Every structure is written in C-alpha cells, then in structure tokens.
Amino acid sequence: MTERTAPPAAPPVNIPFNRPSVIGDELENIRTAVQQGHTSADGPYSAAAAEILRTETGAAEVLLTTSCTAALEMSAMLLDVGPGDTVVVPSFGFVTTALAYSRQGARIHFCDIEPDTLGLDPARLAEVMDPSVRAVVPIHYAGVAADLAGIRSVMAAWPRAELVEDNAHGLFGSLDGQPLGSFGRFATLSFHETKNFTCGEGGALVVNRPEDVERARVVYHKGTDRSAFLMGQVDKYSWQDTGSSFGLSDVLAAYLVAQLERRTWVLERRRSVFDRYASLLAPHAEELGFRVPVVPAGRTQGYHMFYVLFEDRPTRDSVLGSLRAAGIHATFHYVPLHSSTGGRRVAAAEADCPVTDDASGRLLRLPFFNELTDDEIDLVVDRLLTAARTARSV
Ligand SMILES: Cc1ncc(COP(=O)(O)O)c(C=O)c1O
C-alpha cells in the first residue's frame, strides 16, 4: 500500500495593502519639534515643508493643512462658492472632492471619466458646462495627469469657471514637463497615511496666483490677518473674512519634512514597484482579459498605485476574494459618487457615467508601498494570475 502525503501547505502570507515606514529623520524631527516648543501651525518645520513644495511646484504660496479635504474646503471658500453655483467633479473620485463644495451650498455635476487614464473626460465636461459652473476639479487619478489640455480648452469658453486640481495622488508627477498642481488656480495635496508622502493626516493648498495669496492666508488663519501680524505688517490681528482652523501642527510637519526630503528615493522605489508589476502582468493581459494602467506620452506619473482592470465584476470579485484568502490585502475603489446617497442629494442634474460605473466594478488595487520587496511582488503576481485563470475556467 502506498502512503499518500498531502501536498505541502503554501506558507502563510501577510502582505498588507500599505505599510508606511520610517524612511528618514521623522522621529528625530518630531522630538526636536516637541522640545523646541513650537508645536502649533506655522512653525519652522511647516516653513521647511512648504518651501520644498513651493520650490518643486513653482507656486506663489503653499499652506500646509490638516488634510487634502481641508485644502479643498479652503479652495471653495476662496472661490466664494455658494448657492446658485455648480462645481464639476469626476464621479470616479473621492467623496470630499465633491463635499468640499456642496457644503458651501453649490450643486455638483458628476462627470464621467476617460476609459484609459480614468481621469475627467473633456468631452463629457463640455456637456455640463454652463454659466453656473464656478469650478472644475479634475483628479490626477493614480498620479497620472488628467487631460488638462482638453479640460482647459473646454473651460476657455466659460471664464467664470476656475480650475482646481485635486492632486492627492500626483505630487511630483508632471505633464509635458510641468509639475502637476501648477496648472490650476489652486491645487490640493494629501499626506494621509495611504499617500506617497505622509504625516498620518495632512495636506496642503497650493496657491498658484500671487493675487490670491493674501486672502488665502486670512482664510487659513481662522479668518484673521494673523499672517500680516506675524510679518510685522499690522500691529494687531483681527477678524477679516471667512476661514477656519486649517493649519497643520508643526509636530506633523516635522514628520512630513523627513518624508519630503527623501522624495527622490521614494519616487524611484515606487517606480521600481510599478515597473515590476507592469512587466510581470502585462504579458498575461490579453490571455486573461485584464488591462494594466495606461500612462499616455508626456505624462510622468507620481507612482501612487498599481491597479488591474478585469474583464467584468465577477472576475474582479473572485480574484479579490482569492487574494485576500491567501493573505494578500488587495482592495478596490471608488464607489461612484453620482449614485451614492450623499451625491444624489447634491447633484445638479441626473448624471450618466457609464465609464465610472464600469471601472468601479472591474478595478483591483494591488499592495503598493515603498518597501514592497521583489519577492512580495512576485508572490502577489503569482497568486493573481492563478486566481484569474481559475475565475475564467469556472
Ligand atoms: C482623490 C482624493 N482627493 C481627496 C482625498 C482626501 O484626502 P485627505 O484624506 O487628505 O482629506 C483623497 C483621499 O484618499 C483622494 O483620494
């Protein structure tokens, strides 16, 4: 009688979706910030982080905020968005890209996206433009520039509409050599734990026009001219305008500076992770009916994520389930904004966004972080290909 032995069990795996890590002087900086006593906003580390971002984007001013959401809210205040106005955002996007404007009383046009970059579609934008549009807010999805030439050419006929770039994903990406975040009247950044550069929770408002700087500082400083006071331009500060408490603590700015100082290393690491996923997956795309990200010529990406678009939702869901069962924490997003409960409540009109609906059901995001190793990437790819083959054969 021959003895049957079970095949060796696959070793347990635990590959998180994101694994933030210390990459430089974060802890030393935080200690110094606390010891030197300036722990509120506008301290020396805030100045250092803002200076890096200003230099890299060529902005007139960069104001560090508690989140990208807060920066979007600042842009809504600075554009005096209110009842009677509409704002255009991609339906394939984050809640607060819309909510920052709807909470000011505007109604939202949820616009569809292009099937290749998953960024706002200029042709669909043209359909919703009218004199009520006060802002158009494209997202540079996955850190790849939206079609800004197309978007700006549509907007040219509507001078009341201002461009605000939601650049939560695309810091240090560029379009035809120009940094993302430098095209709009305003741009917003995120330093949330899940982003390329983090301080836990944080963000920034990028102010590109010199004439907006003074008011932006007032809105940032709780509606006061404290900024002018700190610069010795007035002898006391007082309430001037709308605003709120938007400033990032210098303790978190200290964390952020350490991350930004290593931007060359971070981008190079993430490029290498992206390229490895792409080179291992692309050869199987046709056979297994999926596609990998498209990065059109002239668009240097910020390397925020790697995603796969499967041929249909059941395949995506099946692969997602298999990866999770194997200890690989892949995920998906975005739930379309135009059909969400909150989105319907603030919609300017009934929105038809078939590309958004389609991408939302088919997209799978793979683990992606600075220190993801080649072995881990190979394992994710191996399990994904096996799961995709299984899903196709049933
Ligand atoms: C495109 C986009 N915009 C805005 C945000 C909000 O960023 P924060 O969490 O910094 O407010 C996110 C968050 O993931 C995002 O993906």
Side-chain angles (χ1 to χ4, degrees), residues 41-221:
D42 284 319
Y45 284 109
S46 303
E51 183 54 30
I52 292 173
L53 295 167
R54 217 173 11 242
T55 308
E56 291 278 357
T57 60
E61 177 62 298
V62 173
L63 297 165
L64 296 185
T65 56
T66 50
S67 64
C68 184
T69 298
L72 288 159
E73 290 171 357
M74 278 189 74
S75 77
M77 290 181 189
L78 288 164
L79 294 175
D80 293 309
V81 168
D85 290 331
T86 60
V87 171
V88 185
V89 310
S91 179
F92 191 68
F94 194 72
V95 170
T96 54
T97 314
L99 180 55
Y101 303 95
S102 67
R103 63 190 291 288
Q104 293 267 126
R107 306 214 54 100
I108 307 296
H109 280 294
F110 295 104
C111 186
D112 211 359
I113 52 168
E114 296 191 295
D116 57 351
T117 59
L118 309 184
L120 192 75
D121 184 342
R124 298 302 310 275
L125 173 65
E127 294 169 15
V128 297
M129 291 304 291
D130 69 29
S132 73
V133 177
R134 182 68 180 118
V136 176
V137 194
I139 293 170
H140 301 307
Y141 180 71
V144 177
D147 178 3
L148 291 179
I151 290 168
R152 294 208 295 185
S153 117
V154 170
M155 289 178 67
W158 305 96
R160 195 173 167 267
E162 298 287 351
L163 180 67
V164 180
E165 298 171 76
D166 180 338
N167 197 23
H169 299 178
L171 179 59
F172 304 130
S174 63
L175 170 61
D176 296 329
Q178 185 178 333
L180 299 186
S182 67
F183 293 84
R185 179 160 170 183
F186 301 105
T188 62
L189 301 173
S190 177
F191 303 117
H192 183 265
E193 178 188 297
T194 51
K195 300 302 188 295
N196 295 11
F197 300 90
T198 180
C199 59
E201 297 271 4
L205 181 75
V206 177
V207 181
N208 284 321
R209 289 192 194 164
E211 61 270 30
D212 284 328
V213 170
E214 193 180 324
R215 186 162 182 239
R217 288 181 182 152
V218 168
V219 168
Y220 181 74
H221 283 113

Side-chain angles (χ1 to χ4, degrees), residues 313-393:
R313 183 187 285 263
T315 309
R316 190 278 305 272
D317 290 347
S318 161
V319 174
L320 176 63
S322 302
L323 290 179
R324 287 196 177 161
I328 295 168
H329 298 273
T331 187
F332 65 89
H333 73 174
Y334 289 108
V335 178
L337 296 176
H338 72 281
S339 49
S340 66
T341 305
R344 280 179 185 279
R345 211 173 277 153
V346 300
E350 189 73 25
D352 174 37
C353 302
V355 182
T356 295
D357 288 331
D358 180 53
S360 169
R362 296 194 292 119
L363 187 137
L364 184 72
R365 292 178 66 184
L366 302 182
F368 198 96
F369 46 90
N370 298 338
E371 283 157 5
L372 191 63
T373 65
D374 286 354
D375 285 350
E376 286 174 319
I377 295 169
D378 295 353
L379 198 76
V380 173
V381 169
D382 179 69
R383 299 289 196 276
L384 182 148
L385 293 174
T386 305
R389 286 198 183 99
T390 308
R392 284 201 126 199
S393 64

Side-chain angles (χ1 to χ4, degrees), residues 40-42 64-66 220-222 244-249:
S40 59
D42 284 319
L64 296 185
T65 56
T66 50
Y220 181 74
H221 283 113
K222 306 161 194 181
S244 192
S245 179
F246 286 115
L248 184 74
S249 160

